[in-house]
C-alpha cells in the first residue's frame, strides 16, 4: 500500500505542478518580454528562448518619461476604482444590513429583486443605459462609469448573508442606551462586519480595475480612458506602441498581484462569493 | 403618517418633527434600502423597459419612429447566426473544459497526496486577477504569426507548419477558449474544493473498508456529492459564455476576418455602437435576454429537482 500511495503522490504532484506552471507562465513571459526591445517583440512576439543579452529596462524608462496618456489612464483607473469601492460598500452594506436585521413590509420582495438583477447580464442593459447617460449628459465622465456599479446586487447579497449572523441583542441594548438606528449600524454593527467589507472591497475593486466594455462605451476622450480601455487602443497591427503596451500591462497587474499576496484570504472569499448558498 | 410612525419610537425622542420621522423604527429600514430602490428603478427597470421599447424603433438623433417587429425580422440574417453559432460553440467548449478539469484538479488538491496545496492553489488563482485585456496582450504575443513565436515553436516540435493563429476559424476559437480556461480555471477549482470540504470523511473511510479503490471512490462518492456545486459552476460558465466579448475583442479589436470571432455581445456592440443602429442592437439584446432567461429557468428546475431528490 505504501508504495502505491507514493506513486499517487508523485503522479498527482507532477500533474498539479505542471498545471501551476502553465498558469503562471503567461505572466512570467509578460514580465520577461517587458524587458525586451519592443521592435523585436513586434516582429516575433513572445519566443520560447530568452535572449538574456537583450534584456534592459528601456521600455520602463520610456513609459516613465514619454508615455503619452498612460499615466492619465492610471490615475483614472485609481480614481474610478477607489470611488466605486467606497460608494458601493457604503450603499450595498446599508441595504444588505437592513434586509438582514429588520422585519418590514417589502423585505422579501426587495431580496427577490436583488436575486433577479443578479441573473440579468449587464450587457443586455448596456444600450439603453448608454442612451440614459446621453440624456443625463454624463458621457465621458467618471460618474458614467461609476453610477451603474454603485449598488452591486452581489455585494448586497453578501452583506445580507453576513449581517444575518450578527448578534441581535447588541442592537437591543444599544437602543436601551438611546442610540439611534443609524448609530447602531455605523458605530456597532458595521465594525462587526469588517471582514465582509474587506472581501467586497476586493471584489468591487478588482472588477472595476479590470472593467472593460462599459468604460469603452461611455468614455470618449483618450485622457479619460481607464487602463484596460487605454491599453486596448494600443492593440494595433502596426505595433508602434508596443513599448507602452507591454510595460504598461505589467504595471497594470502588478499592484493587484502584490495586494493578492498580502490579502489572499479576502481575495478568495470575494471572488467566490457566488458559491455562498442563498 | 408621521404621527403614527413617531408614536412607535422611543418616547425620549422629539415628536412631530422631520428628524423624528427619519428616526422611527418603521421608517429606518426604508431609508437603508432606498439606495437600492433608486438604483433599481433608474439603472435596471428603466433601461430594461426602454430596451424592449427601443427594439421596436428606429432611433436617429432627435427622431424616433416605431417600426413594429422589423428589427426582429432583420435579426434572422447570416451574420447573427454566425455570432450565435460561435457563441454556442464557445459556451459548449468552455463549459465542458471548465467543469471537468477543475473538478479533477480540485479532487487531486484535496487528497492526502499533495503537500503545499496552498501554494498551488494560489498560483492557479493568480490568472483570475489579470484583466482580460492584459491577458490578451500576452496571448497575442505568444500566438504570433511569426515562425519564431512561442506557439509556432511548440507546434514545430510536433512537425506542424507555423500557423496563422488569429486568421483561422478553428485556431481563433482555440485562442478564445484557451484564454478563458487560463483565466477561470483557478476560481472553478476553488468552487469544487469548497464542495469537497462538505463531503463527510466517514463516507470515504467506509468505502475503504469495503475495499474501494481511488477511482471507485471518486465515481461513487465524490461525483454524486459534488452535484450541487457542479450545477452551479455549469450555470455560471454557460451564462459567462453567452456574455463573452472581451476574449474576442483582444484578438480582433477591429472585427475578425470572416467574423470567426464574432459573439452575440460583439454583434450588439458592432450594430449598436459602431453602426449606431440602436434599435437593432436592442433587439439583439432582447434575444440574448431570452436565451439567458431560458437557461436560468432550466438551472432552477434542475437544482429544484436536486433538492427534492436529496
Amino acid at each position: 500500500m505504501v508504495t502505491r500511495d507514493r506513486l499517487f503522490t508523485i503522479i498527482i504532484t507532477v500533474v498539479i505542478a505542471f498545471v501551476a506552471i502553465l498558469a503562471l507562465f503567461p505572466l512570467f513571459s509578460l514580465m520577461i518580454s517587458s524587458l525586451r526591445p519592443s521592435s523585436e517583440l513586434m516582429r516575433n512576439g513572445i519566443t520560447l528562448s530568452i535572449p538574456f543579452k537583450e534584456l534592459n529596462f528601456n521600455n520602463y524608462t520610456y513609459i516613465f518619461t514619454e508615455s503619452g496618456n498612460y499615466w492619465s489612464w492610471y490615475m483614472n483607473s485609481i480614481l474610478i476604482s477607489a470611488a466605486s469601492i467606497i460608494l458601493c460598500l457604503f450603499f450595498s452594506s446599508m441595504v444588505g444590513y437592513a434586509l438582514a436585521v429588520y422585519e418590514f413590509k417589502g423585505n422579501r420582495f426587495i431580496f427577490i429583486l436583488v436575486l433577479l438583477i443578479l441573473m440579468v447580464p449587464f450587457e443586455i442593459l448596456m444600450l439603453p443605459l448608454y442612451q440614459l447617460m446621453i440624456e443625463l449628459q454624463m458621457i465621458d465622465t467618471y460618474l458614467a462609469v461609476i453610477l451603474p456599479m454603485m449598488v452591486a446586487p452581489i455585494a448586497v447579497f453578501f452583506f445580507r448573508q453576513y449581517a444575518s449572523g450578527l448578534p441581535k441583542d447588541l442592537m437591543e441594548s444599544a437602543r436601551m442606551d438611546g442610540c439611534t438606528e443609524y448609530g447602531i449600524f455605523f458605530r456597532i454593527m458595521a465594525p462587526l462586519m469588517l471582514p465582509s467589507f474587506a472581501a467586497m472591497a476586493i471584489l468591487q475593486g478588482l472588477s472595476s480595475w479590470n472593467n472593460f466594455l462599459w468604460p469603452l462605451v461611455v468614455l470618449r476622450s483618450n485622457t479619460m480612458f481607464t487602463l484596460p480601455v487605454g491599453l486596448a487602443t494600443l492593440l494595433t497591427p502596426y505595433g508602434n506602441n508596443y513599448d507602452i503596451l507591454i510595460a504598461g500591462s505589467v504595471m497594470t497587474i502588478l499592484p493587484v498581484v502584490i495586494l493578492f499576496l498580502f490579502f489572499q484570504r479576502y481575495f478568495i472569499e470575494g471572488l467566490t462569493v457566488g458559491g455562498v448558498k442563498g | 403618517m408621521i404621527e403614527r410612525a413617531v408614536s412607535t419610537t422611543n418616547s425620549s425622542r422629539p415628536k412631530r418633527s422631520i428628524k423624528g420621522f427619519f428616526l422611527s423604527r418603521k421608517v429606518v429600514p426604508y431609508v437603508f434600502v432606498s439606495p437600492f430602490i433608486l438604483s433599481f428603478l433608474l439603472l435596471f427597470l428603466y433601461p430594461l423597459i426602454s430596451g424592449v421599447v427601443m427594439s421596436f424603433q428606429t432611433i436617429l438623433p432627435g427622431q424616433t419612429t416605431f417600426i413594429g417587429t422589423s428589427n426582429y425580422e432583420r435579426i434572422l440574417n447570416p451574420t447573427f447566426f454566425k455570432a450565435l453559432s460561435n457563441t454556442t460553440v464557445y459556451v459548449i467548449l468552455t463549459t465542458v473544459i471548465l467543469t471537468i478539469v477543475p473538478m479533477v484538479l480540485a479532487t487531486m488538491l484535496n487528497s492526502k497526496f499533495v503537500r503545499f496545496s496552498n501554494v498551488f492553489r494560489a498560483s492557479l488563482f493568480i490568472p483570475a486577477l489579470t484583466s482580460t485585456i492584459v491577458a490578451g496582450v500576452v496571448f497575442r504575443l505568444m500566438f504570433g504569426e511569426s515562425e519564431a513565436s512561442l506557439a509556432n515553436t511548440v507546434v514545430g516540435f510536433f512537425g506542424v507548419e507555423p500557423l496563422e493563429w488569429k486568421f483561422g476559424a478553428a485556431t481563433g476559437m482555440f485562442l478564445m477558449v484557451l484564454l478563458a480556461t487560463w483565466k477561470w480555471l483557478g476560481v472553478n477549482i476553488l468552487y469544487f474544493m469548497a464542495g469537497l470540504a462538505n463531503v463527510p470523511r466517514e463516507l470515504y473511510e467506509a468505502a475503504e473498508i469495503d475495499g474501494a479503490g481511488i477511482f471507485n471512490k471518486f465515481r461513487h462518492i465524490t461525483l454524486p456529492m459534488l452535484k450541487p456545486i457542479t450545477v452551479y459552476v455549469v450555470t455560471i460558465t454557460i451564462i459567462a459564455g453567452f456574455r463573452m466579448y472581451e476574449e474576442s475583442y483582444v484578438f480582433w479589436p477591429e472585427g475578425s476576418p470572416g467574423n470567426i470571432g464574432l459573439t452575440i455581445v460583439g454583434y450588439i456592440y458592432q450594430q449598436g455602437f459602431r453602426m449606431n443602429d440602436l434599435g437593432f442592437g436592442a433587439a439583439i439584446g432582447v434575444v440574448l435576454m431570452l436565451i439567458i432567461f431560458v437557461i436560468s429557468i432550466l438551472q432552477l428546475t434542475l437544482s429544484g429537482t436536486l433538492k427534492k431528490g436529496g
Side-chain angles (χ1 to χ4, degrees):
Chain A
M1 264 324 256
V2 175
T3 46
R4 222 187 63 179
D5 275 10
R6 182 168 290 171
L7 186 70
F8 275 128
T9 308
I10 293 170
I11 293 173
I12 289 177
T13 309
V14 167
V15 170
I16 288 180
F18 180 69
V19 177
I21 290 169
L22 283 186
L24 292 178
F25 180 77
L27 296 179
F28 170 75
S29 47
L30 176 70
M31 301 266 186
I32 298 292
S33 305
S34 70
L35 303 175
R36 294 181 55 199
S38 58
S39 56
E40 178 55 29
L41 214 54
M42 195 201 117
R43 200 173 323 123
N44 284 330
I46 291 172
T47 52
L48 196 59
S49 58
I50 304 170
F52 284 102
K53 275 184 200 155
E54 281 179 11
L55 302 188
N56 59 57
F57 283 94
N58 287 352
N59 292 334
Y60 290 96
T61 326
Y62 184 78
I63 210 171
F64 277 101
T65 51
E66 22 192 336
S67 56
N69 286 327
Y70 183 77
W71 295 108
S72 311
W73 304 340
Y74 219 100
M75 266 326 280
N76 295 337
S77 273
I78 290 177
L79 285 174
I80 289 175
S81 302
S84 75
I85 290 175
I86 293 169
L87 292 169
C88 171
L89 257 55
F90 181 77
F91 290 130
S92 308
S93 64
M94 274 169 65
V95 178
Y97 166 81
L99 290 178
V101 304
Y102 293 113
E103 298 271 339
F104 59 98
K105 223 181 195 159
N107 182 324
R108 189 85 203 137
F109 179 64
I110 292 175
F111 185 58
I112 290 171
L113 288 185
V114 172
L115 297 179
L116 187 79
I117 304 183
L118 260 179
M119 277 169 38
V120 176
F122 178 77
E123 288 76 5
I124 287 165
L125 303 173
M126 198 170 57
L127 275 171
L129 268 177
Y130 169 74
Q131 283 282 76
L132 182 68
M133 293 299 151
I134 294 177
E135 281 160 33
L136 297 173
Q137 304 199 318
M138 280 190 190
I139 293 294
D140 212 20
T141 62
Y142 292 145
L143 204 56
V145 184
I146 298 166
L147 203 59
M149 303 177 87
M150 231 144 67
V151 187
I154 187 91
V156 171
F157 178 79
F158 188 76
F159 283 123
R160 179 188 175 269
Q161 301 304 99
Y162 199 90
S164 38
L166 295 177
K168 288 224 176 66
D169 36 329
L170 275 181
M171 297 176 69
E172 269 317 313
S173 48
R175 263 174 215 143
M176 300 289 227
D177 295 340
C179 193
T180 65
E181 296 299 315
Y182 305 103
I184 293 175
F185 175 62
F186 287 110
R187 292 209 212 111
I188 300 167
M189 301 304 253
L192 291 176
M193 291 163 72
L194 223 53
S196 64
F197 278 97
M200 284 304 100
I202 280 163
L203 177 69
Q204 192 63 21
L206 195 65
S207 53
S208 124
W209 187 258
N210 291 341
N211 195 4
F212 177 68
L213 191 50
W214 181 243
L216 175 75
V217 165
V218 290
L219 298 176
R220 290 273 168 78
S221 42
N222 201 291
T223 48
M224 287 300 289
F225 285 170
T226 57
L227 279 169
V229 178
L231 288 174
T233 62
L234 305 179
L235 291 172
T236 62
Y238 317 108
N240 38 0
N241 280 309
Y242 269 37
D243 26 32
I244 296 180
L245 180 64
I246 196 94
S249 292
V250 173
M251 284 192 293
T252 301
I253 53 171
L254 209 58
V256 185
V257 173
I258 291 172
L259 282 175
F260 171 71
L261 295 179
F262 284 103
F263 302 105
Q264 223 191 96
R265 204 188 106 210
Y266 298 117
F267 268 85
I268 288 174
E269 219 173 290
L271 262 81
T272 51
V273 39
V276 182
K277 274 193 184 151
Chain B
M1 176 73 189
I2 293 173
E3 292 276 350
R4 217 184 62 206
V6 169
S7 68
T8 60
T9 57
N10 212 318
S11 55
S12 63
R13 302 258 163 70
K15 290 187 178 182
R16 287 190 187 84
S17 65
I18 300 213
K19 203 177 156 201
F21 174 73
F22 281 111
L23 287 174
S24 102
R25 287 267 304 271
K26 275 237 158 65
V27 177
V28 164
Y30 295 101
V31 177
F32 275 118
V33 296
S34 60
F36 174 77
I37 295 175
L38 281 178
S39 90
F40 172 78
L41 293 175
L42 181 71
L43 301 168
F44 184 82
L45 196 60
Y46 173 71
L48 195 66
I49 293 169
S50 75
V52 175
V53 173
M54 276 165 77
S55 71
F56 295 103
Q57 293 173 328
T58 297
I59 296 153
L60 295 166
Q63 194 195 340
T64 306
T65 358
F66 269 92
I67 51 164
T69 56
S70 70
N71 280 330
Y72 289 96
E73 284 154 30
R74 275 173 61 207
I75 286 182
L76 305 170
N77 70 61
T79 315
F80 175 75
F81 287 119
K82 182 79 189 157
L84 185 64
S85 74
N86 283 342
T87 308
T88 311
V89 171
Y90 174 87
V91 165
I92 294 170
L93 290 174
T94 49
T95 307
V96 170
I97 296 170
L98 278 171
T99 308
I100 295 175
V101 178
M103 189 194 282
V104 172
L105 287 173
T107 314
M108 288 180 170
L109 272 170
N110 204 48
S111 70
K112 58 186 174 187
F113 303 114
V114 178
R115 274 179 223 174
F116 313 114
S117 80
N118 284 339
V119 178
F120 286 132
R121 209 177 55 172
S123 1
L124 290 167
F125 192 77
I126 283 183
L129 310 172
T130 317
S131 117
T132 307
I133 300 299
V134 169
V137 169
V138 190
F139 277 72
R140 280 170 71 103
L141 289 170
M142 291 199 302
F143 291 86
E145 285 77 49
S146 137
E147 212 174 300
S149 79
L150 182 116
N152 278 336
T153 314
V154 172
V155 297
F157 288 143
F158 302 99
V160 179
E161 293 288 303
L163 291 164
E164 294 198 304
W165 297 90
K166 288 204 296 287
F167 298 94
T171 49
M173 180 58 70
F174 171 77
L175 289 181
M176 293 190 286
V177 173
L178 186 70
L179 181 51
T181 306
W182 176 75
K183 188 166 170 175
W184 297 115
L185 186 70
V187 174
N188 286 4
I189 287 179
L190 286 178
Y191 282 132
F192 282 114
M193 286 185 79
L196 286 170
N198 293 331
V199 183
R201 286 264 162 210
E202 301 87 68
L203 280 182
Y204 289 113
E205 282 157 20
E208 268 163 35
I209 292 167
D210 292 344
I214 196 160
F215 297 106
N216 271 326
K217 278 190 285 181
F218 180 78
R219 198 174 119 54
H220 294 291
I221 300 173
T222 315
L223 221 46
M225 291 299 281
L226 283 180
K227 219 168 177 179
I229 199 78
T230 310
V231 172
Y232 176 75
V233 169
V234 167
T235 316
I236 57 165
T237 315
I238 290 176
I239 289 179
F242 275 107
R243 299 174 58 179
M244 192 273 272
Y245 179 52
E246 284 173 51
E247 283 84 351
S248 154
Y249 187 96
V250 288
F251 291 114
W252 307 280
E254 306 292 331
S256 49
N259 288 327
I260 51 170
L262 188 69
T263 67
I264 298 180
V265 173
Y267 196 44
I268 297 180
Y269 182 79
Q270 186 199 81
Q271 295 298 318
F273 295 111
R274 290 246 162 115
M275 317 285 273
N276 228 353
D277 198 345
L278 290 164
F280 186 50
I284 310 166
V286 172
V287 172
L288 178 59
M289 184 156 59
L290 291 177
I291 294 175
I292 289 179
F293 183 70
V294 169
I295 292 168
S296 304
I297 296 289
L298 277 178
Q299 185 246 344
L300 285 179
T301 30
L302 199 58
S303 54
T305 357
L306 279 172
K307 259 176 214 156
K308 272 178 217 153

